[in-house]
Amino acid sequence: MGKNKFAMIGNGFLASTIADAYCRGAMPEYELTAVFGIGDERSQQIAEKCSCKVAQTVDELLETKPDIVVEVASIEAVQEYVIKVLKHGIPFVALSIGAFVDAAFYEKAKQTARDHNTRIYFSSGAIGGFDVMQTIALIGGAQAELTLTREASTYRDTPVFSQEVLDSGEKGLLFEGTASEAIPLLPRMINIGVATSLATIGPDQTRIRIYGDPNMPNDDDVYIKVASDQASAEMKIYSKSSILVGWSVVSLLNNLVSPVYFY
């Protein structure tokens, strides 16, 4: 029996992380067929390392007949390509989950997957715990919240940036609201909030708090709480870099072909 084929949309740090894992033998059941992304040089580097094709378009990527397509690019890439991939009956792994905060788009993607007998997979990315979060939400009466703290200057050039907090030398609240309200303000930073909301009680109900801390290293500090009268879960996740996000895709893909599935 041949190996399972996968292709990647995206050629940045996360794509390189997955490619490195692949070359290290961490994905023994897979063959990487193609990589597609902005900038041929980065795609070529991955292709040379992994002996795969550089696709100039998603259509070229699909011509390599992957069994699954992995997005490690952007919200815009998900919005542009997920429907096309699903219409080919190919499962789609999304890291840029913020694309699905749009309820109409989310429903369209889900219906397309149903119509073509395939699936969308949300990788756990930098947080994990989707299984227990979803289980608690199913019991009923749950509330969900996520708190993200980053070094204050990393929010510069975003609508939530506060020079006052940066100059104060103290941790300060930059945003508080719903996941639906947060994603337009921080489309690159709050995918984790959208993921939490879709796994639990929805983007309009899940609460998001964002803090800036002038004294914090340039890392992510994430706290998630999902609670009902019957059960609760609290998770604190620290990630020094986004390497955890790339490796979560490796873990997901391995799970999908394993005789034992860790949910």
Side-chain angles (χ1 to χ4, degrees):
M1 184 176 177
K3 292 189 175 184
N4 297 273
K5 297 179 179 181
F6 80 104
M8 292 193 293
I9 298 174
N11 58 11
F13 174 77
L14 296 178
S16 294
T17 298
I18 296 168
D20 288 343
Y22 173 77
C23 292
R24 282 171 47 181
M27 307 170 69
E29 301 298 322
Y30 283 93
E31 174 190 351
L32 178 59
T33 63
V35 58
F36 164 63
I38 298 173
D40 285 344
E41 183 177 347
R42 292 189 300 181
S43 294
Q44 192 62 45
Q45 289 173 352
I46 293 173
E48 290 176 0
K49 181 164 50 178
C50 300
S51 300
C52 70
K53 176 183 176 64
V54 174
Q56 301 298 322
T57 65
V58 165
D59 287 329
E60 282 190 19
L61 179 145
L62 294 173
E63 287 173 3
T64 66
K65 300 189 182 304
D67 297 302
I68 193 164
V69 170
V70 175
E71 173 275 319
V72 284
S74 65
I75 288 173
E76 292 79 11
V78 174
Q79 293 169 334
E80 187 169 357
Y81 302 124
V82 63
I83 301 299
K84 174 175 280 193
V85 172
L86 294 173
K87 284 183 175 179
H88 279 75
I90 299 172
F92 189 94
V93 177
L95 271 182
S96 302
I97 301 173
F100 299 101
V101 74
D102 181 332
F105 178 71
Y106 188 35
E107 288 304 317
K108 179 180 180 181
K110 289 194 293 184
Q111 189 58 52
T112 303
R114 291 190 193 100
D115 292 344
H116 293 84
N117 194 31
T118 190
R119 288 182 173 179
I120 304 165
Y121 293 101
F122 290 166
S123 177
S124 60
I127 53 174
F130 286 169
D131 51 355
V132 68
M133 287 193 282
Q134 188 178 54
T135 301
I136 292 171
L138 283 171
I139 294 172
Q143 295 181 323
E145 61 182 69
L146 180 143
T147 301
L148 170 65
T149 305
R150 280 185 168 184
E151 197 276 315
S153 67
T154 62
Y155 298 103
R156 198 184 298 276
D157 300 325
T158 75
V160 305
F161 174 71
S162 169
Q163 187 67 46
E164 181 180 354
V165 169
L166 185 62
D167 294 341
S168 72
E170 297 181 359
K171 178 178 174 180
L173 181 66
L174 303 178
F175 171 86
E176 184 171 10
T178 67
S180 295
E181 294 166 339
I183 194 68
L185 302 176
L186 297 166
R188 299 292 183 273
M189 294 184 182
I190 207 64
N191 277 303
I192 53 177
V194 177
T196 299
S197 72
L198 293 178
T200 57
I201 58 176
D204 293 335
Q205 285 75 44
T206 300
R207 303 299 298 175
I208 305 291
R209 295 182 188 87
I210 297 171
Y211 288 89
D213 187 344
N215 300 309
M216 184 179 178
N218 189 17
D219 306 333
D220 282 356
D221 194 345
V222 182
Y223 168 77
I224 298 171
K225 181 178 181 180
V226 181
S228 71
D229 291 340
Q230 301 296 317
S232 66
E234 297 182 40
M235 291 170 282
K236 188 171 178 62
I237 304 100
Y238 168 80
S239 178
K240 189 172 180 62
S241 74
S242 56
I243 191 170
L244 182 63
V245 180
W247 276 91
S248 77
V249 174
V250 176
S251 179
L252 169 63
L253 292 177
N254 285 341
N255 246 335
L256 292 178
V257 297
S258 172
V260 178
Y261 189 99
F262 291 92
Y263 170 67

